[in-house]
Amino acid sequence: MFPTPSTSHVDYDQVYEPSEDSFLFLDLLQEERSFIQERFSDSSKLGIPTVLELGLGSGIITTFFHNYILPQALFLGTDVNPHACKTALETSRANNGTRYFDVLRTNIWDGLRPNTVDVLLFNPPYVPADNLGSYESSIKSDDWLDFALLGGEDGMQVTKIVLDQLDFVMRDRGVAYILFCFRNKPEEVAKAMTDRGWSVKKIGERKIRWEILSIWRFSR
Amino acid sequence: MKLLTANFVQCSVKACSATPKCFPLHFDQQTADVPLELAHEDVDFSPEFIYNILPRIDWPALLITARELGNNMLPETTPEIENPNAPENEQILRDLHTLLLETQIIQGSMRCENCNHIYFIRDSIPNFLLPGHLVQ
Ligand SMILES: C[S@@+](CC[C@H](N)C(=O)[O-])C[C@H]1O[C@@H](n2cnc3c(N)ncnc32)[C@H](O)[C@@H]1O
Ligand SMILES: [Zn+2]
């Protein structure tokens, strides 16, 4: 078991506190370690891999990834929450840092060039909700925490866009890890993505109180 | 934001992404309220790391970015390096390391040549959020 990165400096009034979903992510990435290391062992022709995390929050997943799963990579991450953007950089530094980690404040991956990403990590806002907060009102209140969990219809409003654009963003050997809850209907998603030519695998799930969280791997 | 990251981003306006002018974004016009500020930040040097980055770079775009930020030292095309650990390659790899990984853009702005939208960088974080455009 690799140790959980330290996040003692993080202000949880402003940034999503690492929770059961984050910890499931860390545990399952650990099980995927040899798959990932093998897939990206040869950087000479295709170049060094790029790892992108959407919705960094505290940055705990990216930090874990550069420390224990794939140290030799270029790390990029995004969040809409400006406090999360800053905090994620601090978390990486507080845990020894890595050679290359930059954060973009953006919606999902807007602004990123197509055909850029080798490994995608996403613990999304997955909880079904009637509607999402508006960006304008969050700027006024400086409160971004609703964006951390509320995922609109079926909890899929953000994840659906990610899945629809996956083809443009991922490089040929790309692999994406995305977390779902039961109400996101992950089996249906898996079927639709398989029909679109992705190879899809559930890498694990965990029952947490009334919720079942699972993480799925999408690769070409 | 590291200088190399300018090689991985483009204008986030949907209508621009189909035009070649959306990349690279330009540092040639800066504003008075967020003046350009660069800093040097030490990063461990690894010849292999830099060497493995080379195939990931769009070199013509990097030349534009580097020039706009005041660096005219880059060769016109991607350097051809066989062995990253050969002594004769150390200088070029060190220079690239300094430019690509150690040059931090602390603040400033990037402009899209197609729509002229300006993206600000503050505290080393570029902001690509467009007003009213969180989740479509
Ligand atoms: C469930 S939290 C996960 C945080 C962190 N990765 C973790 O595992 O602890 C989801 C994160 O996604 C961010 N987020 C929500 N909607 C987003 C969007 N449209 N674009 C980018 N980030 C978003 C939230 O601000 C929040 O930090
Ligand atoms: Zn534009």
Side-chain angles (χ1 to χ4, degrees):
Chain A
M1 282 292 274
F2 296 115
T4 305
S6 151
T7 51
S8 53
H9 56 285
V10 180
D11 178 355
Y12 299 129
D13 289 335
Q14 294 187 314
V15 175
Y16 185 73
E17 178 167 3
S19 309
E20 302 290 355
D21 45 12
S22 327
F23 299 127
L24 178 64
F25 229 108
L26 303 190
D27 292 347
L28 292 180
L29 283 175
Q30 201 154 313
E31 290 177 16
E32 285 288 291
R33 188 165 179 257
S34 28
F35 172 86
I36 293 168
Q37 291 188 344
E38 209 162 292
R39 194 171 176 103
F40 299 104
S41 58
D42 181 15
S43 289
S44 54
K45 275 189 219 74
L46 291 167
I48 196 163
T50 301
V51 179
L52 173 71
E53 182 180 358
L54 300 176
L56 286 161
S58 62
I60 191 172
I61 296 178
T62 286
T63 297
F64 185 84
F65 208 86
H66 70 57
N67 277 2
Y68 306 117
I69 309 296
L70 197 67
Q72 301 294 322
L74 304 177
F75 289 88
L76 293 172
T78 72
D79 209 297
V80 283
N81 176 347
H83 307 293
C85 291
K86 268 191 213 166
T87 300
L89 288 169
E90 287 162 11
T91 300
S92 171
R93 271 189 224 115
N95 291 273
N96 294 324
T98 184
R99 284 204 177 83
Y100 192 101
F101 177 31
D102 258 340
V103 172
L104 318 180
R105 182 170 177 222
T106 193
N107 174 41
I108 309 182
W109 42 33
D110 292 351
L112 195 73
R113 302 213 71 209
N115 196 22
T116 306
V117 178
D118 294 283
V119 181
L120 179 78
L121 307 170
F122 191 26
N123 177 12
Y126 54 80
V127 176
D130 286 343
N131 44 36
L132 292 182
S134 89
Y135 170 43
E136 276 75 17
S137 71
S138 282
I139 288 185
K140 271 193 214 105
S141 61
D142 198 28
D143 181 352
W144 299 85
L145 280 184
D146 273 357
F147 287 105
L149 277 176
L150 301 187
E153 193 185 340
D154 287 343
M156 283 294 286
Q157 202 162 328
V158 180
T159 305
K160 189 179 178 310
I161 298 170
V162 170
L163 295 169
D164 287 345
Q165 298 179 354
L166 208 53
D167 256 323
F168 300 104
V169 176
M170 304 298 285
R171 298 176 81 207
D172 286 345
R173 60 175 172 174
V175 47
Y177 293 94
I178 301 176
L179 181 140
F180 295 84
C181 76
F182 186 70
R183 286 173 293 167
N184 298 156
K185 304 180 184 141
E187 309 281 345
E188 281 177 29
V189 170
K191 194 172 170 306
M193 292 301 281
T194 308
D195 290 346
R196 287 194 232 162
W198 290 87
S199 91
V200 184
K201 186 180 175 218
K202 178 162 75 179
I203 61 163
E205 67 180 18
R206 190 174 287 169
K207 213 169 167 240
I208 291 147
R209 293 177 294 274
W210 59 87
E211 188 62 275
I212 302 172
L213 301 179
S214 54
I215 295 179
W216 296 69
R217 183 178 85 195
F218 303 84
S219 55
R220 303 221 217 227
Chain B
M1 175 181 130
K2 291 178 193 287
L3 189 143
L4 177 57
T5 297
N7 217 259
F8 300 137
V9 296
Q10 64 179 35
C11 182
S12 66
V13 173
K14 289 269 171 320
C16 286
S17 52
T19 77
K21 281 185 176 175
C22 69
F23 171 77
L25 296 170
H26 295 277
F27 291 91
D28 53 350
Q29 293 169 22
Q30 297 294 323
T31 63
D33 34 324
V34 192
L36 185 67
E37 185 186 334
L38 303 180
H40 176 95
E41 187 186 272
D42 285 333
V43 175
D44 288 346
F45 176 60
S46 154
E48 286 90 4
F49 194 81
I50 281 289
Y51 170 76
N52 288 328
I53 287 176
L54 292 178
R56 303 297 314 274
I57 298 179
D58 182 313
W59 201 264
L62 176 65
L63 280 174
I64 294 171
T65 304
R67 279 191 194 127
E68 289 175 353
L69 293 174
N71 180 305
N72 295 305
M73 309 280 283
L74 285 176
E76 284 300 311
T77 55
T78 311
E80 306 230 346
I81 292 171
E82 296 252 305
N83 173 4
N85 292 306
E88 68 267 23
N89 293 326
E90 185 174 336
Q91 195 55 51
I92 173 86
L93 290 172
R94 273 198 188 275
D95 289 348
L96 285 169
H97 173 82
T98 304
L99 183 72
L100 301 177
L101 304 191
E102 296 190 316
T103 309
Q104 269 288 347
I105 304 162
I106 306 283
Q107 61 164 39
S109 57
M110 304 181 281
R111 178 182 64 85
C112 169
E113 198 175 356
N114 197 52
C115 70
N116 270 314
H117 188 81
I118 300 227
Y119 297 93
F120 288 103
I121 302 167
R122 289 189 183 88
D123 298 325
S124 295
I125 299 170
N127 186 350
F128 286 93
L129 277 181
L130 300 172
H133 156 260
L134 194 57
V135 176
Q136 290 86 348

